[in-house]
Amino acid sequence: MTTSIAFIGLGAMGAPMAENLVKRQFRVTGFDMRASAREALVAAGGHAAGSAAEAATGADVLVLMVVNAAQARSVLFEAGALAALAPGALVVLMATCPPGEVEAIAAEVAAAGRHLVDAPVSGGVNGARGATLTIMVGAAQPSFDRARPVLEALGDKVFHVGQTPGQGATVKTVNQLLCGVHIAVAAEALSLAEKAGIDGKLLFEIMGGSAASSWMLRDRGPRMQESDPAVASAVDIFVKDLSIVLDAGRAAKTALPLAAAAHQMFLASSGLGHGGRDDSQVVRAYRALNAKPANDA
């Protein structure tokens, strides 16, 4: 029988993910607050619902590609999606959430006779479109085995990192720590080079092939040179995700000074009005910080 999937959250990443499931012959019913997103899923061969509960009615799997844990709770409990699922159904939580929140949601899902698969993703819009996401899964083995065909339709790197929901979220938290710091330090390096009169394009060409390189430097560095690059992941995503990192550090009594500094720069960029821009535009905060004073001769 074809697995019936309810997909909630048809945003920049969720929409192509849902379409990839349709291409793999899953029966996908999606819901998003925006009518245009629902219409696009129908045009791709999926089905649209008028509410989260309607989408989830009788579904075997509920995929949540929402912004945060608060939205996941709203969909599951307030909107009634959890109760509408088939008995024993899987809830696949793919948003970046604090590990403690994931554990709490998992307990409530289990109490309702369903099973939570903690499966945050990395790879951005391009990974969602190409079904090349990295997926970090915390779930009991039977739940992981059931979810695996769905996950493999969305990503080409599916890792079962632990038997407990919350462990996937922990790995994603560490991932976001590294990503956020790498982007911020690339912007900091560019800011220093620009202040010294070095061409940024040349700088990243050199650094991209040196021991100083990182995936983020090679990917985000060129976008820092663009005036308004297409948004692969927004500045405000890292404001949120680095907040989760710092909360996890506090909970574990672990000092994270580099993550804290990076968070401040993303916050500054957002405060300057760039929260919706591509996350490479954290460089705007550095440029503002290091601008030549008006009275400088």
Side-chain angles (χ1 to χ4, degrees):
M1 294 177 61
T2 301
T3 299
S4 174
I5 299 175
F7 200 108
I8 311 299
L10 302 172
M13 290 183 67
M17 290 167 69
E19 290 178 17
N20 283 332
L21 289 170
V22 171
K23 291 174 184 175
R24 291 287 192 97
Q25 306 303 309
F26 291 105
R27 189 183 191 283
V28 181
T29 302
F31 175 72
D32 191 280
M33 295 297 292
R34 296 168 299 120
S36 59
R38 300 194 298 270
E39 291 164 2
L41 177 61
V42 172
H47 306 270
S51 69
E54 181 185 336
T57 299
D60 305 305
V61 178
L62 170 61
V63 177
L64 294 174
M65 193 59 191
V66 292
V67 173
N68 52 32
Q71 284 194 5
R73 283 187 166 279
S74 178
V75 169
L76 288 169
F77 309 119
E78 295 169 27
L82 179 63
L85 290 168
L90 298 179
V91 175
V92 182
L93 179 56
M94 307 196 83
T96 299
C97 302
E101 276 290 318
V102 174
E103 292 173 19
I105 292 171
E108 294 179 62
V109 168
R114 279 80 175 182
H115 310 278
L116 187 83
V117 176
D118 170 28
V121 304
S122 180
V125 174
N126 290 336
R129 289 173 180 161
T132 58
L133 293 168
T134 297
I135 306 177
M136 298 145 269
V137 186
Q141 191 68 47
S143 295
F144 174 71
D145 291 340
R146 286 176 58 198
R148 189 164 193 158
V150 174
L151 300 175
E152 289 181 342
L154 301 172
D156 61 355
K157 296 172 285 295
V158 178
F159 297 98
H160 191 196
V161 302
Q163 296 289 325
T164 306
Q167 290 178 304
T170 297
V171 176
K172 178 61 188 293
T173 297
V174 174
N175 181 83
Q176 294 309 90
L177 186 164
L178 287 164
C179 289
V181 169
H182 282 194
I183 295 170
V185 77
E188 186 167 306
L190 177 60
S191 181
L192 173 60
E194 288 179 338
K195 201 66 181 275
I198 304 298
D199 178 72
K201 183 177 180 181
L202 176 62
L203 174 78
F204 284 127
E205 182 179 349
I206 296 168
M207 296 297 105
S210 77
S213 183
S214 71
W215 190 94
M216 280 297 187
L217 183 144
R218 295 191 303 274
D219 185 78
R220 299 310 202 264
R223 300 215 292 271
M224 291 177 188
Q225 305 296 297
E226 300 177 29
S227 60
D228 196 15
V231 179
S233 175
V235 165
D236 277 346
I237 294 295
F238 272 100
V239 172
K240 171 184 74 77
D241 288 359
L242 286 171
S243 294
I244 291 173
V245 168
L246 295 175
D247 286 344
R250 280 189 288 272
K253 293 184 171 56
T254 302
L256 305 173
L258 298 181
H263 185 233
Q264 289 298 304
M265 297 310 297
F266 281 101
L267 270 176
S269 186
S270 184
L272 289 167
H274 308 307
R277 295 184 187 273
D278 185 70
D279 57 29
S280 63
Q281 298 308 293
V282 69
V283 71
R284 292 172 181 256
Y286 282 97
R287 286 170 177 156
L289 185 65
N290 295 311
K292 181 189 293 186
N295 60 357
D296 196 349

